[in-house]
Amino acid sequence: MSGIDLIEYQDEIAAHITSAFPNYEIIEDEVFDDESIARLQQKTKPFIVIRWSGATRNINNASMAGVRYDEYISDFDIIAAAPAPKIARQLLNYFMDALIGHRISNGYQLTPTAGQSVFPATENTSSPKLYLGVGTLEFRFSSSDPTSYITP
């Protein structure tokens, strides 16, 4: 693949999220293990985790040479972490509503995929200290030279 810089698109999206929601802590690629959950308390201020995925070839309804900017596809999870399930759901909906339709620099919009869910994060057998609302957004893109992989 030539001319693809997935990190550039991810940085652009992360910068937009950070600037659009200055009152929330935004963390990238956090993993919740037992130790991190144990440090949390019921009064934890809600925060957002962005979990990035890699690039894959878009095989469904993609334009031949990337004219519609959809030769490749990637997605990311928005994880709303809060001390109560209702707060996690409301925070996730707030972020998803604001991000759906946002255009990245190549002209493609962020679109939701796979639905949303809220579930508890527990430490061993204790009661939940944290609830996670998870939603996924995807974006499509092409290489700067879509025909570069074709051998003359």
Side-chain angles (χ1 to χ4, degrees), residues 13-27:
I13 293 167
H16 171 70
I17 293 171
T18 302
S19 65
F21 304 99
N23 296 331
Y24 290 94
E25 180 182 6
I26 309 292
I27 303 168

PDB file of all heavy atoms in Angstrom, residues 13-27:
ATOM      1  N   ILE A  13      -8.698  12.706  13.985  1.00  0.00           N
ATOM      2  CA  ILE A  13      -9.937  12.412  14.704  1.00  0.00           C
ATOM      3  C   ILE A  13      -9.754  12.655  16.202  1.00  0.00           C
ATOM      4  O   ILE A  13     -10.614  13.260  16.853  1.00  0.00           O
ATOM      5  CB  ILE A  13     -10.389  10.969  14.417  1.00  0.00           C
ATOM      6  CG1 ILE A  13     -10.809  10.840  12.947  1.00  0.00           C
ATOM      7  CG2 ILE A  13     -11.521  10.549  15.351  1.00  0.00           C
ATOM      8  CD1 ILE A  13     -10.971   9.407  12.465  1.00  0.00           C
ATOM      9  N   ALA A  14      -8.633  12.210  16.770  1.00  0.00           N
ATOM     10  CA  ALA A  14      -8.362  12.413  18.200  1.00  0.00           C
ATOM     11  C   ALA A  14      -8.292  13.903  18.535  1.00  0.00           C
ATOM     12  O   ALA A  14      -8.822  14.335  19.567  1.00  0.00           O
ATOM     13  CB  ALA A  14      -7.071  11.705  18.604  1.00  0.00           C
ATOM     14  N   ALA A  15      -7.662  14.686  17.672  1.00  0.00           N
ATOM     15  CA  ALA A  15      -7.580  16.139  17.900  1.00  0.00           C
ATOM     16  C   ALA A  15      -8.972  16.766  17.871  1.00  0.00           C
ATOM     17  O   ALA A  15      -9.283  17.646  18.688  1.00  0.00           O
ATOM     18  CB  ALA A  15      -6.678  16.789  16.858  1.00  0.00           C
ATOM     19  N   HIS A  16      -9.805  16.317  16.946  1.00  0.00           N
ATOM     20  CA  HIS A  16     -11.171  16.837  16.884  1.00  0.00           C
ATOM     21  C   HIS A  16     -11.947  16.498  18.155  1.00  0.00           C
ATOM     22  O   HIS A  16     -12.629  17.361  18.723  1.00  0.00           O
ATOM     23  CB  HIS A  16     -11.909  16.286  15.660  1.00  0.00           C
ATOM     24  CG  HIS A  16     -13.375  16.612  15.682  1.00  0.00           C
ATOM     25  ND1 HIS A  16     -13.849  17.887  15.496  1.00  0.00           N
ATOM     26  CD2 HIS A  16     -14.455  15.829  15.908  1.00  0.00           C
ATOM     27  CE1 HIS A  16     -15.175  17.880  15.601  1.00  0.00           C
ATOM     28  NE2 HIS A  16     -15.560  16.637  15.846  1.00  0.00           N
ATOM     29  N   ILE A  17     -11.848  15.257  18.607  1.00  0.00           N
ATOM     30  CA  ILE A  17     -12.570  14.834  19.814  1.00  0.00           C
ATOM     31  C   ILE A  17     -12.098  15.632  21.022  1.00  0.00           C
ATOM     32  O   ILE A  17     -12.905  16.115  21.815  1.00  0.00           O
ATOM     33  CB  ILE A  17     -12.410  13.314  20.040  1.00  0.00           C
ATOM     34  CG1 ILE A  17     -13.129  12.538  18.933  1.00  0.00           C
ATOM     35  CG2 ILE A  17     -12.938  12.902  21.412  1.00  0.00           C
ATOM     36  CD1 ILE A  17     -12.848  11.050  18.934  1.00  0.00           C
ATOM     37  N   THR A  18     -10.789  15.797  21.153  1.00  0.00           N
ATOM     38  CA  THR A  18     -10.232  16.538  22.283  1.00  0.00           C
ATOM     39  C   THR A  18     -10.681  17.996  22.277  1.00  0.00           C
ATOM     40  O   THR A  18     -11.034  18.547  23.322  1.00  0.00           O
ATOM     41  CB  THR A  18      -8.693  16.454  22.264  1.00  0.00           C
ATOM     42  OG1 THR A  18      -8.315  15.073  22.311  1.00  0.00           O
ATOM     43  CG2 THR A  18      -8.078  17.169  23.444  1.00  0.00           C
ATOM     44  N   SER A  19     -10.689  18.623  21.101  1.00  0.00           N
ATOM     45  CA  SER A  19     -11.088  20.032  21.039  1.00  0.00           C
ATOM     46  C   SER A  19     -12.604  20.210  21.153  1.00  0.00           C
ATOM     47  O   SER A  19     -13.074  21.206  21.689  1.00  0.00           O
ATOM     48  CB  SER A  19     -10.578  20.676  19.755  1.00  0.00           C
ATOM     49  OG  SER A  19     -11.192  20.091  18.623  1.00  0.00           O
ATOM     50  N   ALA A  20     -13.383  19.253  20.671  1.00  0.00           N
ATOM     51  CA  ALA A  20     -14.838  19.356  20.734  1.00  0.00           C
ATOM     52  C   ALA A  20     -15.383  19.097  22.140  1.00  0.00           C
ATOM     53  O   ALA A  20     -16.476  19.557  22.479  1.00  0.00           O
ATOM     54  CB  ALA A  20     -15.478  18.388  19.744  1.00  0.00           C
ATOM     55  N   PHE A  21     -14.628  18.353  22.944  1.00  0.00           N
ATOM     56  CA  PHE A  21     -15.077  17.999  24.293  1.00  0.00           C
ATOM     57  C   PHE A  21     -13.995  18.349  25.322  1.00  0.00           C
ATOM     58  O   PHE A  21     -13.428  17.459  25.961  1.00  0.00           O
ATOM     59  CB  PHE A  21     -15.410  16.510  24.362  1.00  0.00           C
ATOM     60  CG  PHE A  21     -16.429  16.069  23.364  1.00  0.00           C
ATOM     61  CD1 PHE A  21     -16.047  15.458  22.179  1.00  0.00           C
ATOM     62  CD2 PHE A  21     -17.781  16.270  23.593  1.00  0.00           C
ATOM     63  CE1 PHE A  21     -16.979  15.056  21.245  1.00  0.00           C
ATOM     64  CE2 PHE A  21     -18.731  15.862  22.676  1.00  0.00           C
ATOM     65  CZ  PHE A  21     -18.330  15.261  21.495  1.00  0.00           C
ATOM     66  N   PRO A  22     -13.704  19.636  25.513  1.00  0.00           N
ATOM     67  CA  PRO A  22     -12.601  20.016  26.410  1.00  0.00           C
ATOM     68  C   PRO A  22     -12.855  19.710  27.882  1.00  0.00           C
ATOM     69  O   PRO A  22     -11.911  19.650  28.669  1.00  0.00           O
ATOM     70  CB  PRO A  22     -12.468  21.524  26.180  1.00  0.00           C
ATOM     71  CG  PRO A  22     -13.833  21.959  25.732  1.00  0.00           C
ATOM     72  CD  PRO A  22     -14.387  20.800  24.953  1.00  0.00           C
ATOM     73  N   ASN A  23     -14.104  19.481  28.275  1.00  0.00           N
ATOM     74  CA  ASN A  23     -14.425  19.227  29.681  1.00  0.00           C
ATOM     75  C   ASN A  23     -14.283  17.768  30.090  1.00  0.00           C
ATOM     76  O   ASN A  23     -14.507  17.427  31.249  1.00  0.00           O
ATOM     77  CB  ASN A  23     -15.850  19.701  29.988  1.00  0.00           C
ATOM     78  CG  ASN A  23     -15.994  21.195  29.813  1.00  0.00           C
ATOM     79  OD1 ASN A  23     -15.047  21.940  29.988  1.00  0.00           O
ATOM     80  ND2 ASN A  23     -17.181  21.629  29.441  1.00  0.00           N
ATOM     81  N   TYR A  24     -13.920  16.909  29.134  1.00  0.00           N
ATOM     82  CA  TYR A  24     -13.793  15.482  29.430  1.00  0.00           C
ATOM     83  C   TYR A  24     -12.357  15.025  29.229  1.00  0.00           C
ATOM     84  O   TYR A  24     -11.678  15.466  28.307  1.00  0.00           O
ATOM     85  CB  TYR A  24     -14.713  14.654  28.527  1.00  0.00           C
ATOM     86  CG  TYR A  24     -16.168  14.843  28.861  1.00  0.00           C
ATOM     87  CD1 TYR A  24     -16.932  15.777  28.184  1.00  0.00           C
ATOM     88  CD2 TYR A  24     -16.767  14.108  29.882  1.00  0.00           C
ATOM     89  CE1 TYR A  24     -18.269  15.963  28.496  1.00  0.00           C
ATOM     90  CE2 TYR A  24     -18.102  14.294  30.201  1.00  0.00           C
ATOM     91  CZ  TYR A  24     -18.842  15.227  29.506  1.00  0.00           C
ATOM     92  OH  TYR A  24     -20.160  15.408  29.821  1.00  0.00           O
ATOM     93  N   GLU A  25     -11.937  14.114  30.081  1.00  0.00           N
ATOM     94  CA  GLU A  25     -10.622  13.497  29.912  1.00  0.00           C
ATOM     95  C   GLU A  25     -10.735  12.461  28.802  1.00  0.00           C
ATOM     96  O   GLU A  25     -11.597  11.578  28.833  1.00  0.00           O
ATOM     97  CB  GLU A  25     -10.171  12.831  31.206  1.00  0.00           C
ATOM     98  CG  GLU A  25      -8.811  12.179  31.104  1.00  0.00           C
ATOM     99  CD  GLU A  25      -8.391  11.482  32.390  1.00  0.00           C
ATOM    100  OE1 GLU A  25      -9.194  11.400  33.336  1.00  0.00           O
ATOM    101  OE2 GLU A  25      -7.248  11.015  32.421  1.00  0.00           O
ATOM    102  N   ILE A  26      -9.851  12.576  27.796  1.00  0.00           N
ATOM    103  CA  ILE A  26      -9.834  11.649  26.669  1.00  0.00           C
ATOM    104  C   ILE A  26      -8.537  10.847  26.755  1.00  0.00           C
ATOM    105  O   ILE A  26      -7.456  11.410  26.790  1.00  0.00           O
ATOM    106  CB  ILE A  26      -9.881  12.401  25.312  1.00  0.00           C
ATOM    107  CG1 ILE A  26     -11.017  13.420  25.271  1.00  0.00           C
ATOM    108  CG2 ILE A  26      -9.944  11.408  24.160  1.00  0.00           C
ATOM    109  CD1 ILE A  26     -12.398  12.853  25.277  1.00  0.00           C
ATOM    110  N   ILE A  27      -8.665   9.528  26.806  1.00  0.00           N
ATOM    111  CA  ILE A  27      -7.515   8.636  26.915  1.00  0.00           C
ATOM    112  C   ILE A  27      -7.511   7.737  25.689  1.00  0.00           C
ATOM    113  O   ILE A  27      -8.553   7.228  25.283  1.00  0.00           O
ATOM    114  CB  ILE A  27      -7.603   7.772  28.189  1.00  0.00           C
ATOM    115  CG1 ILE A  27      -7.724   8.662  29.432  1.00  0.00           C
ATOM    116  CG2 ILE A  27      -6.403   6.838  28.298  1.00  0.00           C
ATOM    117  CD1 ILE A  27      -8.099   7.899  30.687  1.00  0.00           C
TER     118      ILE A  27
END
